[in-house]
Amino acid sequence: MYALADCNNFFVSCERVFRPDLWNKPVLVLSGNDGCVISRSNEAKALGIKMGVPLYQIRDLVQKHQIACFSSNFSLYGDLSHRVMSILMRNTTRFEQYSIDEGFITLNHLPPEQHKPFCEKLVRDIYQGVGIPVSMGIAPSKTLAKVASKYAKKYPAYHGACAIDTDNKRLKALGTFDITDVWGIGRKASAKLTDYGITTALKFASMNERQVRTLLHKPGVLTWRELNGIDCIDTSEIIAKQSITTSRTFAHPISDRRLLEQQLANFCDSCARKLRMQRSLCTQIIFYIHTSYFRTDITPCHIAQTVNLPVATDNTAEILSYLLAAFRPLFRENMQFKKAGVIFSRIIPAEAAMADLFDTRDRTKHAALQSTIDRIRSRQGRQSVLLGTQLSPLPPSGDEQSEPYIAEHQSPLYTTDIRQILQIKI
DNA sequence: TCTGGGGTCCTAGGACCC
DNA sequence: TCTGGGGTCCTAGGACCC
């Protein structure tokens, strides 16, 4: 049996941990540049605010109901997530973190009649220990556990934990469960199914397998089996990421080549740090810059390039030199670039590196320099040592806005900034 | 005027080989 | 004039997740 622990309105709940005055009040957490809504309290949901809606479209509502808005604060969310996951991990023999706010545990170490009380206690412990409300779903497959957790979230009478552990309960739960809300059934699939009159999870689970395969292929069949109680979705952790991305939308479009290079260099730095952290090397990078997809009044421009690296590496400066060499001839003047990103792919474990016979680079020396830089930065902060390209081009050329990102409602780094921690104690 | 970021998996179709 | 068939590998793009 699995139990899924799913944090309720996670980002909003994180903000509320340090702002108890916001309990029972509408709260939103916003995406980068305070652009879209990415987390909503129940009160905000009740006001009709949808996930992903741009903030400017609901300004009046925010004003009228005095909705508290926060810029996203991922170091806070990451830290609280870690605390929740640690408690889960301590209470099972097998734990899989699925996302920043969800984790699966197995309950096989307990007799069935203890499953629900055990999870109810975990919900209380997490709330007391971390301050985050959690809902738990218990079932023989992960997809059913997801269904169960939604019921646990919706009905307080479950005391935070709902079990789908008999066939009767399964049929009853699926009968009133919207097909759109099933894990693994996205927009396209639910539109297809709705066309066939399949509107609930139960109707879907009652289809025959061949029909499902024709309509939704392999992923659909896996979901179908899971809803029928067969455990077949493997979410076992991928230890090392197979691709690493850093990308940003700019608050104001950027036209200046040097400013874009600065951004790409920062993205490269961020990807390379993550790459070294998981002890991997990459052999391919992709970068892109493009204009806003929402604007019809300007010439659209999308520049993207894949660069294959001659030798697998994790060295920021080396990777950046390949990136810039490919970027410069592709750059176009007088374009309003709104977003840029860097992707590292074809990632291999560091120990699988193959030496290149014609490699002229002194890799030992560069690795020593890189690890020295990493050490300094871990002590003195990420800004303490930078590559030249990462420095802001001075003086700011033309009329470019100097600050590319907006985060006007950022909460303090309550749990990771020592000054904040001391203040709380005082 | 203002619209996020970071991932994985699957499939179809092209390139290439014999 | 008539122009095979089967297999593998790779990639781009779609769909989905949070």
Side-chain angles (χ1 to χ4, degrees):
Chain A
M1 287 296 269
Y2 292 105
L4 167 71
D6 191 338
C7 300
N8 303 347
N9 314 327
F10 183 56
F11 299 163
V12 162
S13 298
C14 289
E15 299 292 349
R16 276 176 168 169
V17 168
F18 298 91
R19 290 287 306 275
D21 56 304
L22 294 177
W23 271 106
N24 304 316
K25 303 231 171 91
V27 180
L28 299 175
V29 172
L30 308 170
S31 67
N33 298 316
D34 300 338
C36 291
V37 171
I38 57 170
S39 181
R40 307 158 294 158
S41 69
N42 290 345
E43 299 77 13
K45 290 176 189 173
L47 290 171
I49 295 172
K50 298 269 181 279
M51 190 68 168
V53 72
L55 181 61
Y56 75 89
Q57 289 178 4
I58 53 164
R59 288 252 187 238
D60 293 347
L61 213 54
V62 169
Q63 183 73 34
K64 184 176 163 199
H65 297 277
Q66 294 289 297
I67 303 176
C69 293
F70 290 90
S71 306
S72 35
N73 184 346
F74 279 95
S75 33
L76 175 66
Y77 311 152
D79 187 56
L80 293 184
S81 166
H82 187 246
R83 297 178 190 204
V84 172
M85 299 304 158
S86 305
I87 293 177
L88 291 174
M89 208 181 310
R90 282 204 296 274
N91 281 281
T92 184
T93 51
R94 203 166 140 230
F95 166 76
E96 279 175 33
Q97 181 164 358
Y98 175 68
S99 70
I100 192 166
D101 71 333
E102 283 169 83
F104 290 101
I105 61 174
T106 53
L107 298 176
N108 300 338
H109 59 296
L110 296 168
E113 69 276 9
Q114 284 183 26
H115 288 173
K116 187 168 148 61
F118 178 78
C119 289
E120 286 178 18
K121 180 170 185 311
L122 266 180
V123 169
R124 288 194 301 271
D125 288 352
I126 292 171
Y127 187 67
Q128 275 186 9
V130 191
I132 298 288
V134 170
S135 302
M136 297 198 68
I138 303 158
S141 74
K142 288 172 179 153
T143 308
L144 285 173
K146 282 269 205 181
V147 171
S149 76
K150 299 242 171 134
Y151 281 105
K153 194 169 294 197
K154 193 168 168 189
Y155 299 106
Y158 285 116
H159 302 291
C162 167
I164 299 180
D165 49 6
T166 66
D167 209 48
N168 255 341
K169 288 189 195 169
R170 185 179 70 87
L171 296 175
K172 196 170 167 226
L174 297 189
T176 55
F177 203 80
D178 200 310
I179 188 66
T180 324
D181 298 330
V182 174
W183 188 42
I185 304 292
R187 222 172 10 146
K188 294 277 181 178
S190 57
K192 271 190 200 173
L193 291 170
T194 307
D195 282 348
Y196 285 85
I198 310 291
T199 49
T200 67
L202 183 59
K203 285 183 183 169
F204 177 62
S206 312
M207 287 172 77
N208 77 56
E209 183 171 341
R210 283 202 27 225
Q211 235 181 326
V212 175
R213 187 174 298 277
T214 316
L215 212 57
L216 306 178
H217 312 284
K218 188 177 170 182
V221 174
L222 290 184
T223 300
W224 176 85
R225 285 189 190 152
E226 286 252 323
L227 288 176
N228 284 301
I230 303 162
D231 173 28
C232 57
I233 289 185
D234 180 21
T235 57
S236 57
E237 276 165 300
I238 294 161
I239 304 301
K241 298 246 184 292
Q242 299 170 43
S243 73
I244 295 171
T245 306
T246 307
S247 69
R248 289 289 179 277
T249 299
F250 309 126
H252 316 284
I254 298 182
S255 306
D256 183 75
R257 182 180 58 87
R258 268 291 287 118
L259 277 174
L260 285 166
E261 287 179 3
Q262 181 202 6
Q263 295 306 315
L264 290 171
N266 286 336
F267 302 162
C268 210
D269 180 18
S270 152
C271 289
R273 272 189 316 106
K274 293 178 202 163
L275 190 67
R276 289 192 293 275
M277 244 178 329
Q278 67 169 36
R279 297 199 38 78
S280 300
L281 307 172
C282 83
T283 62
Q284 184 180 70
I285 59 168
I286 300 153
F287 64 84
Y288 60 85
I289 55 173
H290 63 76
T291 50
S292 170
Y293 291 135
F294 297 102
R295 284 185 66 172
T296 48
D297 58 321
I298 55 168
T299 321
C301 178
H302 195 301
I303 294 171
Q305 182 70 48
T306 303
V307 183
N308 291 307
L309 308 180
V311 180
T313 181
D314 62 1
N315 188 278
T316 307
E318 182 185 7
I319 296 172
L320 182 60
S321 71
Y322 289 117
L323 190 155
L324 292 177
F327 171 73
R328 286 183 178 141
L330 295 176
F331 173 74
R332 286 173 58 190
E333 302 279 355
N334 304 317
M335 289 294 172
Q336 307 255 296
F337 293 110
K338 183 70 172 167
K339 181 169 179 173
V342 171
I343 304 164
F344 286 9
S345 58
R346 292 197 178 164
I347 288 171
I348 58 167
E351 57 273 17
M354 278 197 292
D356 178 344
L357 198 55
F358 304 105
D359 187 12
T360 53
R361 198 177 166 89
D362 185 344
R363 297 202 171 263
T364 316
K365 197 173 91 180
H366 281 102
L369 175 58
Q370 183 72 73
S371 69
T372 303
I373 292 173
D374 286 345
R375 267 203 312 281
I376 295 171
R377 295 172 86 181
S378 74
R379 282 201 306 265
Q380 311 287 330
R382 222 186 274 178
Q383 300 294 310
S384 57
V385 186
L386 295 171
L387 294 168
T389 317
Q390 289 177 272
L391 300 173
S392 34
L394 291 172
S397 50
D399 53 2
E400 299 276 7
Q401 305 274 347
S402 55
E403 188 44 65
Y405 310 113
I406 291 172
E408 285 187 347
H409 314 285
Q410 180 111 52
S411 52
L413 302 172
Y414 293 110
T415 61
T416 49
D417 179 342
I418 187 66
R419 284 160 300 185
Q420 292 296 333
I421 296 166
L422 291 175
Q423 252 184 34
I424 291 165
K425 279 198 170 162
I426 289 161

